Amino acid sequence: MTKWVYNFGGGSAEGDTSMKNLLGGKGANLAEMASLGLPVPPGFTMTAEVCTSYYDNGEKYPDDLDPQTEAGLAHIEKLTGKKFGDAANPLLVSVRSGARASMPGMMDTVLNLGLNDTTVEGLAALSGDRRFALDSYRRFITMYSDVVLGVHHHTFEDILERHKDDEGYVLDTEMTAGDWEAVIGRFKDAVKRELGRDFPQDPREQLQGAIDAVFGSWMNERAIVYRRLNDIPAAWGTAVNVQAMVFGNMGETSATGVAFTRDPSTGENTYYGEFLINAQGEDVVAGIRTPQTLTKKAREEMGEEAPSMEEAMPDVYGQLAATFVKLEDHYRDMQDIEFTVEQGKLWMLQTRTGKRTARAALKIAVDMAEAGQITHDEALMRIEPLSLDQLLHPTLNPDAPRDVIAMGLPASPGAAIGEVVFSSDEAEELRKAGHKVILVRTETSPEDIHGMHAAEAIVTARGGMTSHAAVVARGMGKPCVSGAGNIRIDMDAQEFSVAGRIIKKGEIVTVDGASGQVFMGAVDMVQPELSGDFAKVMDWADEARTLGIRTNAETPLDVQTAKDFGAEGIGLCRTEHMFFEADRLAHFREMILATDKKGREDALAKILPVQREDFAAIFRIMKDRPCTIRLLDPPLHEFLPHTEADIQSVAETLNLPAKELMARARELAESNPMLGHRGCRLGISYPEIYEMQARAIFEAEIMVEKETGRKPTAEIMIPLVSSAKELEILREAIIRVADEVGGVHYTIGTMIELPRAALRAGDIAEHAKFFSFGTNDLTQTTFGLSRDDAGRFLPDYVAAGIMEKDPFVTLDQDGVGDLIKIAAERGRATRPDIKLGICGEHGGDPASITFCHNAGLDYVSCSPYRVPIARLSAAQAAIATKMA
Ligand code: PEP
Ligand code: MG
């Protein structure tokens, strides 16, 4: 018999934190907290396997589920001493989703379940507070109707607003028991009107409905989008947690809140959170009421009036702080917590590893390692390599003039410039059209995910640091300013006003998520400082990793950036990129258009000094670090003019009739240029091109050696080789040039970019001191997929489950990876000390870097901004190997 239901509560649990895949993050951690003796309301978790089984079997539950659910309910009844559906002593429960990976706000939740016209009176009598009981009932009807029955929550909000207007109330707290009773009557009428049947009164039916809805929400549109954006497989499913209700809305000694054991934005080691007195959990996240701070220090820093929890409820705050310490000690990581205080008693509703900004991740990892709580290796494993990207990008120049238009909470750091837009759909459309946009909303909801994704930054008028906008933006690594309370958005006029100023859609603003400020216009930005925690983590990564890290760069700016980021050499200098500047392009075109060897040699002679200077500039920066320079790769016609105007102007510069130029261009054009006359095939047809490049490299070496007294090392790389013979011929030509120049340091190697090259790596290694896997072309040629066109239909392949990911982004380990392994093995059999690297885009992708580590390559090479990511990924791969 499969166990579908796991109980927890009363100081013990059937599950634990290691069972995340089965119980979901929430369920596993509730179980763990219960076992730790923390105050967790009793409950049970229906496993994620119920969800997968439900979807695998045409939305039908397993046959033996019902009795297990019954037993789960009985467990809660026993521990609480209450009975589900009992008129005098009713048990109420919450029903919440909880997947393996946290998906904040994406799936459904129902609270206060079990209330009906009878049990509400029981709750009133038990609590001695009829108003509270009715408040809970109206919340239940609203939430259940919205989530389970599909009656939009606006229906209920409108009824409530009308009632408050009629009575002249402003706040919900002015509502009396009698008011709630009247409103509940109208809520039920509205349900009946919309659905043609009564609001369900049977608690069992309510429970089944809520469970169905939570499992159903796994497949709702926003959850699907979220999974796609976060690489969460649909096959994981979600668990469902049914748990005894505790009430934060039981008067002034009750409260609900969320907290982090450290600041999730900066990583600072201070408690951080928000709470609301006399409220239920959804009130905090919904951003309807402005929450109070947790600590006195935070209240003072933010200049708030309302007392902090530390001041308002010192006893419970003390219990909470003690719990923070216990949880951090136990989990050895920063925790994100939800709690409720019911009449002075603390209850823990959730703990999980807190999402944090990249900056906070670094600081927390470094602080914990330096405090001896975790090892350096553990610290490295805790930082998501790709998140480092957030730290590598510019921030506001502190000296730049600025015009502050609005102030809110610093919800997610980073700075961004863009055009103001007010709707998520529009944000997405404008983004597609190449605009950079700032999404400005009163508040965001899960329906805004696509707009937030499209925006450079998000600004909301309402909501705290844990509002939807803040949490999601931090997760996405986007700057966000939340709760900019003085902003008034006018959707009809498509503008917002703030302190008497009007900002219209399309106007440019700058958002600084680190300070919570919004500025008019574009504020100047500066490059980030890569010192402090960042430098420490990079040092630790360098100690841990065994893979070398190089960069793909050719301009002095890129080479310098990559070196500053820690590149140990150049893994790929694409020499063709050096020809795109106007002055060089003219000579290059002259070379291409030459009809004979003499003409080509004349043109090449003009290019030589320019190339020499390019290489010298690289050697000067890289000093004696290895520089792999690839000889010309793309098909020649890429350099020819295409538009008529271009052709005219080139014809004039070259003093050629336009007709002749067009004829030559036509002659050079190919139907399949990617598989055509490119790479070493050009070197075979026109040896003088490669000879010129080799000469430029060698002469640059000599030049720089004279200047600096150090010998640069060039690794000359021949692209697109498919046979040993090609390499042999080209290598001999390069050696001839080297001998002519004399006194130079170099090695010659090749790229492995074609399946045949991988298979014939044994012969090819006879002539190559190194192999660099050009996995862009190798992926293209292994799949027979054009790298320029596949983007149009690959999403269909990913959606259909044929491919897990775009193979041009993450290496296809089964196919392309096999070819790499074969080539490495055969190459090493011929030449045991052959140097092996990778220089396709995959060299900067963490999963592919892990593969390269495991395949025993010597280095990966990636674009400059990926270098720190690669250093960390390589360290993580080495640590994972050590741990295995
Ligand atoms: C490759 O093919 O992987 C490679 C690095 O070369 P390019 O992208 O320049 O074709
Ligand atoms: Mg290539």
Side-chain angles (χ1 to χ4, degrees):
M1 196 180 93
T2 313
K3 187 167 172 56
W4 304 110
V5 171
Y6 286 72
N7 295 334
F8 57 83
S12 68
E14 293 177 327
D16 62 50
T17 204
S18 70
M19 295 162 75
K20 233 181 212 164
N21 295 358
L22 187 65
L23 302 179
K26 189 190 281 277
N29 284 328
L30 281 170
E32 186 89 359
M33 283 200 293
S35 300
L36 283 174
L38 290 171
V40 174
F44 63 85
T45 304
M46 281 183 160
T47 66
E49 282 177 358
V50 176
C51 184
T52 38
S53 159
Y54 175 77
Y55 283 110
D56 288 348
N57 293 296
E59 308 196 3
K60 261 191 59 214
Y61 291 109
D63 291 338
D64 48 351
L65 176 64
D66 275 352
Q68 298 192 30
T69 312
E70 283 302 317
L73 261 181
H75 157 81
I76 306 180
E77 288 176 334
K78 185 158 158 249
L79 285 176
T80 54
K82 296 178 179 171
K83 260 197 119 35
F84 197 50
D86 192 274
N89 188 20
L91 167 67
L92 305 186
V93 296
S94 63
V95 180
R96 298 174 210 255
S97 62
R100 193 188 301 192
S102 133
M103 296 170 58
M106 292 302 118
M107 286 179 294
D108 292 334
T109 291
V110 179
L111 303 180
N112 306 308
L113 189 139
L115 280 174
N116 58 27
D117 295 349
T118 325
T119 55
V120 72
E121 298 304 341
L123 183 66
L126 271 184
S127 63
D129 185 348
R130 188 147 193 278
R131 184 189 178 283
F132 148 74
L134 291 161
D135 176 40
S136 304
Y137 193 22
R138 65 93 190 181
R139 287 170 186 271
F140 172 57
I141 297 174
T142 305
M143 217 171 198
Y144 192 90
S145 302
D146 187 50
V147 165
V148 182
L149 305 176
V151 181
H152 203 282
H153 56 83
H154 287 161
T155 312
F156 306 102
E157 280 149 20
D158 290 348
I159 294 172
L160 176 55
E161 284 312 309
R162 230 175 296 131
H163 184 89
K164 279 160 68 182
D165 281 351
D166 291 349
E167 298 298 324
Y169 299 154
V170 178
L171 301 172
D172 286 2
T173 44
E174 294 169 73
M175 297 278 288
T176 64
D179 289 318
W180 284 129
E181 198 159 13
V183 164
I184 286 168
R186 270 174 247 144
F187 278 12
K188 287 193 295 190
D189 291 345
V191 171
K192 182 147 196 188
R193 227 180 8 257
E194 282 220 15
L195 301 179
R197 61 192 152 87
D198 286 319
F199 183 82
Q201 291 287 315
D202 174 5
R204 296 294 159 129
E205 183 190 339
Q206 294 173 355
L207 181 61
Q208 193 55 55
I211 291 171
D212 292 350
V214 174
F215 283 131
S217 67
W218 180 249
M219 288 297 176
N220 73 28
E221 192 54 34
R222 58 179 198 247
I224 292 171
V225 170
Y226 187 90
R227 284 202 293 274
R228 198 178 62 226
L229 295 175
N230 291 280
D231 280 334
I232 299 172
W236 282 2
T238 181
V240 172
N241 299 291
V242 178
Q243 196 176 14
M245 277 300 297
V246 285
F247 296 96
N249 57 335
M250 255 195 186
E252 295 304 305
T253 56
S254 299
T256 186
V258 290
F260 292 86
T261 54
R262 300 185 187 223
D263 187 321
S265 186
T266 63
E268 211 193 317
N269 191 2
T270 53
Y271 301 143
Y272 185 86
E274 298 167 332
F275 82 116
L276 277 174
I277 292 178
N278 198 8
Q280 282 199 339
E282 78 268 20
D283 301 340
V284 180
V285 189
I288 295 162
R289 275 166 63 189
T290 299
Q292 290 156 246
T293 55
L294 218 56
T295 62
K296 180 163 177 260
K297 179 167 160 265
R299 178 183 63 75
E300 286 167 356
E301 274 170 16
M302 293 173 68
E304 300 273 342
E305 298 274 302
S308 64
M309 184 170 182
E310 190 176 4
E311 295 156 302
M313 303 181 159
D315 277 0
V316 197
Y317 175 78
Q319 292 171 43
L320 187 63
T323 307
F324 288 168
V325 173
K326 195 163 183 177
L327 286 173
E328 254 209 15
D329 276 355
H330 181 72
Y331 286 99
R332 298 163 69 241
D333 203 351
M334 185 262 265
Q335 296 295 297
D336 166 354
I337 287 156
E338 283 179 23
F339 63 90
T340 283
V341 180
E342 184 183 281
Q343 298 190 320
K345 172 156 175 49
L346 176 70
W347 290 99
M348 301 302 295
L349 298 186
Q350 170 157 302
T351 191
R352 60 184 170 193
T353 302
K355 281 202 199 286
R356 59 204 79 182
T357 62
R359 181 165 149 229
L362 273 185
K363 177 154 176 57
I364 292 170
V366 169
D367 284 354
M368 292 188 109
E370 291 191 332
Q373 287 168 281
I374 56 175
T375 62
H376 285 186
D377 282 0
E378 283 174 309
L380 291 169
M381 293 306 271
R382 291 213 178 150
I383 303 164
E384 168 57 47
L386 288 175
S387 77
L388 293 181
D389 205 36
Q390 292 172 36
L391 302 174
L392 303 177
H393 289 288
T395 50
L396 293 189
N397 177 352
D399 301 326
R402 50 188 77 188
D403 169 12
V404 181
I405 46 176
M407 233 350 237
L409 299 172
S412 178
I417 300 170
E419 299 169 27
V420 169
V421 329
F422 299 103
S423 93
S424 285
D425 288 345
E426 202 165 354
E428 194 177 40
E429 274 163 33
L430 283 167
R431 165 66 192 247
K432 278 195 191 132
H435 294 241
K436 290 190 183 313
V437 299
I438 307 289
L439 181 62
V440 181
R441 306 276 292 155
T442 301
E443 61 205 345
T444 62
S445 73
E447 275 89 37
D448 288 309
I449 291 293
H450 63 298
M452 296 176 75
H453 214 262
E456 304 298 312
I458 297 109
V459 177
T460 67
R462 275 202 232 149
M465 291 291 282
T466 46
S467 62
H468 178 266
V471 171
V472 174
R474 277 201 293 276
M476 289 180 176
K478 301 225 167 189
C480 174
V481 172
S482 68
N486 49 355
I487 285 184
R488 294 277 166 278
I489 299 173
D490 183 341
M491 285 301 271
D492 293 333
Q494 289 286 291
E495 62 185 35
F496 72 88
S497 61
V498 55
R501 293 171 78 167
I502 305 260
I503 290 92
K504 295 209 161 296
K505 186 180 96 179
E507 285 198 70
I508 301 287
V509 297
T510 301
V511 176
D512 181 18
S515 69
Q517 290 173 305
V518 184
F519 310 96
M520 197 66 221
V523 178
D524 188 36
M525 306 262 194
V526 286
Q527 290 301 320
E529 237 341 302
L530 297 180
S531 54
D533 294 336
F534 188 92
K536 271 183 204 155
V537 164
M538 285 295 122
D539 282 348
W540 298 345
D542 291 347
E543 277 163 34
R545 72 184 159 87
T546 52
L547 261 183
I549 309 293
R550 297 197 191 183
T551 191
N552 294 358
E554 42 280 328
T555 67
L557 178 66
D558 282 356
V559 173
Q560 186 63 51
T561 305
K563 190 179 169 202
D564 293 344
F565 284 155
E568 296 163 313
I570 291 182
L572 175 64
C573 164
R574 292 175 161 109
T575 51
E576 59 272 12
H577 287 189
M578 300 168 149
F579 294 114
F580 283 124
E581 278 163 49
D583 53 336
R584 300 140 184 240
L585 194 57
H587 299 317
F588 201 76
R589 283 173 166 161
E590 191 182 329
M591 188 272 292
I592 298 169
L593 293 162
T595 41
D596 58 7
K597 188 165 171 174
K598 168 82 179 59
R600 256 191 313 278
E601 277 175 350
D602 287 350
L604 286 169
K606 293 182 205 156
I607 299 172
L608 176 75
V610 184
Q611 278 261 275
R612 190 167 55 212
E613 208 24 72
D614 288 333
F615 298 135
I618 292 175
F619 293 145
R620 282 186 197 111
I621 299 169
M622 277 296 172
K623 305 226 158 68
D624 39 17
R625 300 179 196 201
C627 296
T628 304
I629 298 170
R630 177 178 74 187
L631 304 186
L632 193 70
D633 182 50
L636 295 181
H637 74 92
E638 270 192 21
F639 296 91
L640 286 174
H642 295 292
T643 67
E644 223 156 275
D646 253 5
I647 292 176
Q648 268 309 332
S649 105
V650 172
E652 272 163 39
T653 352
L654 297 182
N655 213 354
L656 269 177
K659 258 206 172 132
E660 199 173 307
L661 190 72
M662 267 152 68
R664 179 75 177 135
R666 226 174 290 125
E667 217 175 283
L668 284 168
E670 295 175 301
S671 340
N672 265 319
M674 270 295 186
L675 301 177
H677 200 189
R678 59 170 287 218
C680 67
R681 299 160 196 172
L682 293 172
I684 297 290
S685 306
Y686 311 118
E688 54 281 6
I689 298 178
Y690 277 15
E691 282 164 22
M692 178 281 289
Q693 289 195 295
R695 183 174 297 277
I697 294 168
F698 295 137
E699 290 181 1
E701 274 194 22
I702 302 280
M703 225 163 88
V704 174
E705 189 189 348
K706 275 199 192 123
E707 289 165 24
T708 63
R710 296 202 233 205
K711 266 190 193 305
T713 320
E715 297 177 343
I716 299 176
M717 181 155 80
I718 314 288
L720 217 74
V721 157
S722 62
S723 77
K725 194 72 190 166
E726 282 169 315
L727 188 59
E728 187 185 350
I729 293 171
L730 295 168
R731 181 168 166 267
E732 276 165 13
I734 294 166
I735 293 173
R736 259 195 316 276
V737 177
D739 291 345
E740 278 168 35
V741 176
V744 290
H745 256 194
Y746 67 100
T747 58
I748 297 171
T750 188
M751 295 185 75
I752 303 292
E753 301 180 277
L754 300 171
R756 190 177 195 283
L759 297 172
R760 303 304 303 167
D763 312 337
I764 292 173
E766 301 275 357
H767 311 284
K769 282 274 173 61
F770 62 88
F771 285 167
S772 180
F773 292 97
T775 46
N776 301 332
D777 276 311
L778 192 57
T779 299
Q780 162 168 269
T781 51
T782 300
F783 278 97
L785 271 174
S786 156
R787 43 194 275 206
D788 297 330
D789 305 313
R792 285 188 225 149
F793 58 87
L794 278 183
D796 300 342
Y797 270 65
V798 175
I802 301 167
M803 288 173 177
E804 218 177 286
K805 290 189 178 148
D806 180 338
F808 289 104
V809 175
T810 290
L811 193 81
D812 158 49
Q813 300 191 9
D814 300 339
V816 179
D818 253 4
L819 284 170
I820 292 176
K821 285 188 200 153
I822 290 169
E825 191 184 307
R826 295 184 184 175
R828 281 198 172 122
T830 302
R831 187 186 292 274
D833 65 345
I834 191 165
K835 204 189 295 180
L836 302 175
I838 179 176
C839 64
E841 286 311 302
H842 306 94
D845 169 65
S848 312
I849 293 171
T850 305
F851 169 85
C852 293
H853 171 88
N854 294 335
L857 301 198
D858 297 299
Y859 69 87
V860 299
S861 185
C862 55
S863 57
Y865 276 91
R866 289 263 158 161
V867 167
I869 294 168
R871 286 163 81 189
L872 180 56
S873 297
Q876 292 185 346
I879 295 166
T881 309
K882 214 163 48 177
M883 291 192 317

